[in-house]
Amino acid sequence: MTTRWGIAGTGGMAQAFISDFAYVPDAEVVAIGSRTAERAAAFADRHDVAAALTYADVLTADIDVLYIATPHPQHHDLALAAVRAGVPVLVEKSFTATLAGARRVVDAAREAEVFCMEAMWTRVQPAVLRAREMVAAGEIGDLLWVEADFGAYRAYDPTSRLFDPALGGGAVLDLGVYVVSLAQHFLGTPDRVAATGTLFPNGTDASAVIMMSHDDGRAAAVTCSLSSSTPQRAVLAGTGGSIEIEPPFYHPTRLVVRRNGSPAVETIDLPATGRGYAHQIAHVGECLAAGLTESPVVPLADTLDVQWVMEEALSQLGVVAPAEGVVEL
Ligand SMILES: NC(=O)c1ccc[n+]([C@@H]2O[C@H](COP(=O)([O-])OP(=O)(O)OC[C@H]3O[C@@H](n4cnc5c(N)ncnc54)[C@H](OP(=O)(O)O)[C@@H]3O)[C@@H](O)[C@H]2O)c1
């Protein structure tokens, strides 16, 4: 059965996401929602989408799931309205701008028993799935620590969504979410968070170093930056060796495995399909077909814990907490 998708937002991510439907035979985008009729129509024409609608109307369209691709603070209102209307949602990362906002969406989805998932596509990449299997099978012994960096230099422009606080600007919510989520995926939720970093002139976070510590001594050291480009590599280190997720770790094609006492280095090639979003599109279709209300790979409890780590880190950086943005429906 074909899964019929609606998309909210016509920006860069919505355009990237829709291109991967070409690789998923049992999924199609049937409706696009926008703040303006012109942008909805232009997106629908360009991508051959049947219905060009407002955000309010895309919620009541004949769809199986809504993908929310607005700036982070504008996820909350749309996601809440969708789950309350019984519409399953895939919500872009960061899930919301605040932990309180994330809790409201999660509570509403659970109460309505409607599928809800953060679009943390990295977790369903073939190479990351394999790394999880290898760690669970004890191939690198007991996992001790995770390190990951995600720096992507962007010229400072306070009007851009990447820097504007009203649009959830800052490195932590845009890039840090990947490294925090990767660490939480492999190590679980930390007991303590310690963060330091730098700020842009408007007070949004430019870079952050975040330590996620567990009481048993395991830890993750993760970094993110909009003011420096970095290798974008991740390493999982265990008592028996390590697995490197080669750059870009958030959309990887290769694992490099090193085992204690062996000079041999094993490489495992597992490229993603399309731009990497096809796996997530297929995964959501499978969850819906199975009648699930949460993804087993990106459960809502993990989303809340990742949001908690980011909020804690931002507060230690001295970043004024962002607010959830209003979306007129
Ligand atoms: N998974 C990934 O690889 C990836 C990559 C990039 C971004 N993202 C995520 O995707 C989301 C969107 O990012 P983007 O790069 O697509 O942003 P973008 O290019 O700025 O597009 C965002 C879209 O949201 C809609 N929107 C609704 N309310 C808005 C408001 N108050 N201000 C501005 N736009 C508003 C706009 O569409 P209308 O004008 O048609 O309403 C706009 O085109 C973010 O949460 C981001 O973190 C994910």
Side-chain angles (χ1 to χ4, degrees), residues 10-13 34-35 39 55 72 75 93 121 161 277:
T10 57
M13 188 52 225
S34 168
R35 289 171 300 173
R39 282 196 292 275
Y55 287 138
H72 337 308
H75 296 169
K93 41 58 58 180
W121 59 306
R161 128 180 129 68
Y277 304 113

Side-chain angles (χ1 to χ4, degrees), residues 51-75:
L53 305 170
T54 62
Y55 287 138
D57 287 343
V58 81
L59 288 173
T60 53
D62 188 14
I63 57 173
D64 299 310
V65 56
L66 179 68
Y67 168 60
I68 298 177
T70 55
H72 337 308
Q74 282 72 31
H75 296 169

Side-chain angles (χ1 to χ4, degrees), residues 139-197:
E139 292 209 28
I140 56 166
D142 296 329
L143 190 62
L144 292 174
W145 48 261
V146 172
E147 65 176 40
D149 67 278
F150 197 164
Y153 171 77
R154 298 285 184 270
Y156 177 61
D157 169 5
T159 64
S160 148
R161 128 180 129 68
L162 289 176
F163 307 93
D164 182 349
L167 299 178
V172 170
L173 289 179
D174 203 65
L175 305 177
V177 63
Y178 283 101
V179 287
V180 170
S181 181
L182 189 87
Q184 196 276 343
H185 194 39
F186 281 92
L187 289 169
T189 303
D191 296 298
R192 282 172 310 286
V193 176
T196 188

Side-chain angles (χ1 to χ4, degrees), residues 13-137:
M13 188 52 225
Q15 315 239 11
F17 188 73
I18 199 171
S19 67
D20 266 9
F21 278 76
Y23 302 96
V24 189
D26 53 358
E28 66 173 320
V29 179
V30 298
I32 177 73
S34 168
R35 289 171 300 173
T36 75
E38 295 73 25
R39 282 196 292 275
F43 189 100
D45 279 355
R46 200 174 318 123
H47 299 287
D48 201 17
V49 175
L53 305 170
T54 62
Y55 287 138
D57 287 343
V58 81
L59 288 173
T60 53
D62 188 14
I63 57 173
D64 299 310
V65 56
L66 179 68
Y67 168 60
I68 298 177
T70 55
H72 337 308
Q74 282 72 31
H75 296 169
H76 171 267
D77 281 11
L78 284 166
L80 258 190
V83 295
R84 284 176 177 161
V87 178
V89 280
L90 175 68
V91 183
E92 254 312 332
K93 41 58 58 180
S94 290
F95 188 68
T96 50
T98 65
L99 178 58
R103 284 193 180 126
R104 279 191 293 275
V105 174
V106 167
D107 287 348
R110 285 179 175 159
E111 193 180 319
E113 296 180 10
V114 170
F115 179 83
C116 180
M117 173 182 159
E118 177 190 7
M120 185 35 77
W121 59 306
T122 298
R123 291 191 178 199
V124 290
Q125 301 295 302
V128 175
L129 290 171
R130 176 69 67 86
R132 274 270 288 190
E133 287 167 10
M134 292 176 70
V135 170

Side-chain angles (χ1 to χ4, degrees), residues 106-315:
V106 167
D107 287 348
R110 285 179 175 159
E111 193 180 319
E113 296 180 10
V114 170
F115 179 83
C116 180
M117 173 182 159
E118 177 190 7
M120 185 35 77
W121 59 306
T122 298
R123 291 191 178 199
V124 290
Q125 301 295 302
V128 175
L129 290 171
R130 176 69 67 86
R132 274 270 288 190
E133 287 167 10
M134 292 176 70
V135 170
E139 292 209 28
I140 56 166
D142 296 329
L143 190 62
L144 292 174
W145 48 261
V146 172
E147 65 176 40
D149 67 278
F150 197 164
Y153 171 77
R154 298 285 184 270
Y156 177 61
D157 169 5
T159 64
S160 148
R161 128 180 129 68
L162 289 176
F163 307 93
D164 182 349
L167 299 178
V172 170
L173 289 179
D174 203 65
L175 305 177
V177 63
Y178 283 101
V179 287
V180 170
S181 181
L182 189 87
Q184 196 276 343
H185 194 39
F186 281 92
L187 289 169
T189 303
D191 296 298
R192 282 172 310 286
V193 176
T196 188
T198 61
L199 304 183
F200 287 115
N202 68 352
T204 53
D205 44 305
S207 64
V209 178
I210 305 172
M211 173 79 91
M212 299 160 63
S213 315
H214 296 250
D215 286 343
D216 59 9
R218 295 173 305 128
V222 300
T223 54
C224 60
S225 180
L226 284 166
S227 51
S228 172
S229 287
T230 68
Q232 304 179 352
R233 192 176 67 122
V235 177
L236 317 169
T239 54
S242 67
I243 300 171
E244 176 183 349
I245 308 175
E246 275 202 350
F249 80 86
Y250 56 91
H251 174 204
T253 57
R254 174 177 285 180
L255 302 177
V256 179
V257 185
R258 297 173 174 85
R259 292 191 167 83
N260 293 353
S262 168
V265 174
E266 182 189 348
T267 57
I268 302 172
D269 288 311
L270 287 164
T273 301
R275 299 175 71 151
Y277 304 113
H279 304 283
Q280 181 169 248
I281 296 165
H283 177 72
V284 170
E286 286 157 13
C287 289
L288 293 175
L292 302 181
T293 53
E294 295 192 25
S295 158
V297 187
V298 196
L300 292 171
D302 286 12
T303 290
L304 290 177
D305 288 347
V306 166
Q307 202 82 38
W308 165 71
V309 172
M310 294 192 296
E311 193 148 296
E312 185 61 30
L314 285 171
S315 117

